[in-house]
Each structure stands twice: as C-alpha cells, then as structure tokens.
Amino acid sequence: MSRIGKAPIELPAGVSVKVEGNVITVKGPKGELKQAFNPDLTINVEGNHLTVSRPSDDREHRAQHGLYRALIHNMVVGVSTGYRKEMELVGVGYRANATGQVLELSLGFSHAIYIKLPPEIKVETKSERNKNPLIILESDDKQLLGQVCAKIRSLRKPEPYKGKGIKFVGEVIRRKSGKSASAK
C-alpha cells in the first residue's frame, strides 16, 4: 500500500470538505478549492480525518492513490494557512513593481514586461536600498502559485556565471568559473 496514499489527512478547525460524485470541494478561511478525482477511488470523511482508498492494486490505481491524497492535502493546507513564495531579482537595474493584479518587471530588456496575474494570487513587491528587489506571491492554490512563479522565473532564469536573473529566496545557484579559470 502507498505510504503517502494511506496516511490520513487531518482537517483543521474551520475547514469543511464536501464530496459530490467525483469532485471534492474544500472550503476554509482563505478560500474554496475544487478538484476532480478518479471515480474509482473513494474518499471518506470521518470527524476531522479524511482518507483516500483504492479498489485494487492495479498500477493505475496505486499511482492515483498517492497523487490524489497529496492534491487533497495541498488543498486543505491552502485553504487553512495558504502558500507563499518569495522571488528575488538579482542584477543591476532589475526592478519589480506591482499595481493591483499587474506585475511590471524591468529585466534589462529594451522594454518593461507586464504580467497580469490571476485574481486568486496576491502580489507584493519590496525594494530596499542595497538589497535585491523581492516579489512576494501568496495564494491558497499551490498548483496555480507554482505555475505563476515558474512563468515569472522563465522570463530571466539565473545564469551560472554571475547569478543574474530571477530566483527563489534561498535557492542556491551552481556557479561556474569563467574562461579565466581554465588550465593550460
């Protein structure tokens, strides 16, 4: 049996779960999320615990057992505490500015880049003197937040020589020595 799949999910206070057909709805103080799941799997809610069980040990059922348990757990954590990602702009002249749901980025191109963010994501930017600008993204949907962060990061990935680009706070970039370090 899957270790992840068989672990029960603890439902915090204020979080309610409703299963209708093959759609699960999780509601909490931070918002509401819906997820469709394989109708072969069964989801049981008993008190403040939720369990996912599978009908057989088929390869497909085993794979989906852990997957949907993890997705439901991410939904429960999202609607109760939420998710937060911080991104750092490393480079001379790199700037970020948020107005409403539009993020304006100056990344060394000849023009500014404007990104319209989904309404589920809250964005905040910080620019302090002698520090790299920060983009702080918060949401209750982990999948959407990760997708938006990946899109922002893809605009200027950190390069391995000087480390310039958009990176997550705490991310370690493997650095290369330039051509001056080559041995003859």
Side-chain angles (χ1 to χ4, degrees):
M1 189 121 185
S2 166
R3 286 188 195 173
I4 293 172
K6 70 180 178 184
I9 299 171
E10 179 100 19
L11 299 175
V15 174
S16 64
V17 175
K18 188 165 58 170
V19 180
E20 294 175 344
N22 68 330
V23 176
I24 184 168
T25 306
V26 181
K27 217 181 254 187
K30 295 268 185 176
E32 177 180 342
L33 294 172
K34 290 184 179 187
Q35 173 71 45
F37 62 92
N38 187 341
D40 293 344
L41 300 174
T42 51
I43 296 176
N44 302 320
V45 182
E46 298 146 7
N48 65 342
H49 289 293
L50 182 140
T51 56
V52 180
S53 56
R54 62 177 187 237
S56 69
D57 278 343
D58 290 348
R59 183 179 179 90
E60 183 180 338
H61 289 155
R62 284 193 324 241
Q64 292 182 348
H65 187 209
L67 167 74
Y68 285 112
R69 189 264 178 210
L71 290 176
I72 294 168
H73 180 262
N74 289 343
M75 291 166 61
V76 169
V77 172
V79 298
S80 60
T81 59
Y83 289 100
R84 176 185 173 105
K85 293 268 188 176
E86 294 184 7
M87 303 178 86
E88 186 177 9
L89 278 67
V90 180
V92 177
Y94 287 10
R95 288 189 304 276
N97 188 21
T99 50
Q101 289 301 103
V102 177
L103 181 65
E104 178 188 354
L105 298 170
S106 298
L107 301 174
F109 297 117
S110 61
H111 58 284
I113 299 169
Y114 295 93
I115 301 173
K116 183 158 177 24
L117 299 172
E120 296 90 7
I121 293 184
K122 295 180 189 82
V123 65
E124 179 188 342
T125 56
K126 284 186 183 175
S127 296
E128 294 180 25
R129 192 167 171 82
N130 297 330
K131 288 190 179 178
N132 293 328
L134 290 176
I135 303 170
I136 301 164
L137 300 166
E138 293 183 33
S139 179
D140 58 347
D141 191 348
K142 187 175 185 179
Q143 289 176 320
L144 181 65
L145 183 65
Q147 193 173 4
V148 169
C149 286
K151 176 67 178 168
I152 292 171
R153 189 175 190 270
S154 72
L155 298 173
R156 186 69 94 171
K157 286 187 179 169
E159 51 95 17
Y161 297 102
K162 290 186 177 178
K164 289 171 47 174
I166 302 174
K167 68 180 191 107
F168 293 104
V169 171
E171 179 183 8
V172 177
I173 307 298
R174 287 188 65 193
R175 304 292 286 272
K176 291 182 179 179
S177 57
K179 62 184 180 182
S180 63
S182 63
K184 291 185 178 181

